[in-house]
Amino acid sequence: MEKNTKKLCILQVTPSAPTPEHVELFANKEQCDFYFVTHDEPHNDALQFCPNTTWTDTRNILVSNLPKKYDYYGFVDYDYILRPLGDLDPLQQVLHDLETYNPAVLTYYPGKGMTTPFASNVAYRDSKEHSILPFAHAGFKMVHHSLLDWFFPMITKFGGGVEACHLFNILELPFLKNVVCSHKMVYDNDITDLSSPHNAMGAAASANKMREMWEWIKPSFKKSKILDHYARNEYEKSDPLLIKHAFIDVIIQKQVEPSRADTSVNYYDTERISDFFDVSHEWFDKKLGK
């Protein structure tokens, strides 16, 4: 890929055309470019037409087709409405937060239509400008360039649905103090595409895929004492969502605040990663090139 002087690119997976509001906000700006792929119909401006693919497949294709390098790679779902809570527009807010924190991952506070208790917790949202919010939705995130190969390609081994998003969040844990949630903007979920593969699969099937993925990756996870502390019984120890509930509680209860990093930071630190994961596991063996 060609090196680019722009700070950011915003990436979108969409059925047939990019969201007009997102194109207006992010495309061909001084510090930002916009790219997309489609999966239902071809589009002249798309990087690629990807029929019969899962959401995870299309994200992987999108990343693999990027023509230029950026400092940050942002992802926004086509059905998200971005709602700033301050004086800056969405792009200005993203650039401001990136400049302030140089985060490993930047996300925003969930709003209307998002399936998380944080969405209705306006008091917590308004209590601070930035926080660490583990296991945030994958639909609106900015990833530091040094971690692009850490997160991508996302896993398709178990079907490429919610379990791939869950693993993405698990992979954030070594960098959690630099995973920043800005409360200066929220994202609302405008439409849920029930015909998409991961939604059409059904809740029970998705839950099974989540459990399969967790059973596969769990032996590599070194912070098992935290999970044991939060599990009330043996069944909960095998619950793939236990890790989410445990780390959210740890961060909230200990009031851990996000850290700032230098612009020269390289987050792909094997010591930091090895503190959380046994890198001999097949997934990390491939990622770390061992």
Side-chain angles (χ1 to χ4, degrees):
M1 285 189 292
E2 173 191 346
K3 176 59 180 173
N4 192 279
T5 58
K6 294 187 180 182
K7 183 78 173 178
L8 170 71
C9 68
I10 296 293
L11 309 172
Q12 185 164 99
V13 171
T14 184
S16 57
T19 306
E21 292 81 2
H22 296 166
V23 173
E24 183 178 353
L25 285 170
F26 301 119
N28 300 315
K29 303 301 182 183
E30 182 179 355
Q31 289 296 317
C32 184
D33 286 327
F34 182 90
Y35 302 101
F36 68 99
V37 295
T38 61
H39 51 74
D40 286 358
E41 298 177 11
H43 191 288
N44 288 338
D45 296 328
L47 289 180
Q48 189 170 325
F49 174 47
C50 314
N52 305 311
T53 52
T54 68
W55 179 90
T56 307
D57 290 325
T58 47
R59 272 217 174 176
N60 289 342
I61 292 168
L62 182 54
V63 170
S64 68
N65 277 277
L66 291 176
K68 299 177 182 179
K69 296 180 180 179
Y70 296 83
D71 292 336
Y72 281 91
Y73 299 84
F75 299 86
V76 59
D77 280 359
Y78 73 94
D79 53 356
Y80 279 9
I81 297 172
L82 309 180
R83 190 156 47 92
L85 301 178
D87 298 329
L88 303 178
D89 69 29
L91 176 57
Q92 290 171 336
Q93 187 62 59
V94 170
L95 292 172
H96 173 78
D97 292 325
L98 293 178
E99 291 288 348
T100 301
Y101 281 92
N102 294 303
V105 178
L106 172 67
T107 188
Y108 286 85
Y109 203 85
K112 300 173 185 176
M114 304 307 300
T115 53
T116 168
F118 285 101
S120 59
N121 193 343
V122 176
Y124 181 71
R125 185 195 74 191
D126 294 345
S127 68
K128 55 186 68 184
E129 293 190 353
H130 298 87
S131 69
I132 297 173
L133 186 58
F135 292 84
H137 284 265
F140 190 35
K141 287 188 174 182
M142 318 295 141
V143 175
H144 190 268
H145 65 90
S146 65
L147 290 176
L148 197 64
D149 290 339
W150 174 246
F151 291 115
F152 290 92
M154 292 176 70
I155 194 166
T156 57
K157 179 183 178 77
F158 300 97
V162 292
E163 82 289 337
C165 300
H166 192 48
L167 180 57
F168 190 106
N169 284 330
I170 291 171
L171 295 176
E172 287 182 357
L173 293 177
F175 319 102
L176 201 54
K177 69 178 183 179
N178 298 106
V179 175
V180 179
C181 175
S182 173
H183 295 214
K184 298 297 289 182
M185 180 162 63
V186 300
Y187 55 97
D188 302 326
N189 190 7
D190 185 35
I191 304 167
T192 297
D193 183 4
L194 297 177
S195 67
S196 64
H198 58 283
N199 287 324
M201 182 183 294
S206 293
N208 286 336
K209 294 296 183 183
M210 284 271 282
R211 190 171 295 276
E212 287 178 25
M213 185 280 294
W214 177 236
E215 289 175 353
W216 169 75
I217 200 69
K218 184 181 178 183
S220 74
F221 189 65
K222 290 184 175 181
K223 303 295 184 181
S224 57
K225 288 184 179 180
I226 296 176
L227 305 185
D228 291 343
H229 173 76
Y230 280 90
R232 294 171 295 183
N233 51 53
E234 288 300 316
Y235 179 78
E236 286 193 355
K237 287 184 179 180
S238 65
D239 182 355
L241 293 179
L242 176 63
I243 190 171
K244 172 181 178 178
H245 301 319
F247 276 89
I248 288 176
D249 192 69
V250 167
I251 294 297
I252 297 298
Q253 295 301 322
K254 292 189 175 182
Q255 300 183 20
V256 182
E257 297 296 327
S259 299
R260 291 173 167 83
D262 294 333
T263 55
S264 61
V265 65
N266 182 352
Y267 285 111
Y268 211 140
D269 182 340
T270 54
E271 289 187 9
R272 197 166 173 177
I273 290 167
S274 296
D275 187 43
F276 277 78
F277 298 107
D278 176 356
V279 296
S280 67
H281 185 280
E282 61 175 308
W283 183 250
F284 305 107
D285 182 65
K286 181 172 63 175
K287 288 285 183 182
L288 298 174
K290 293 186 179 294

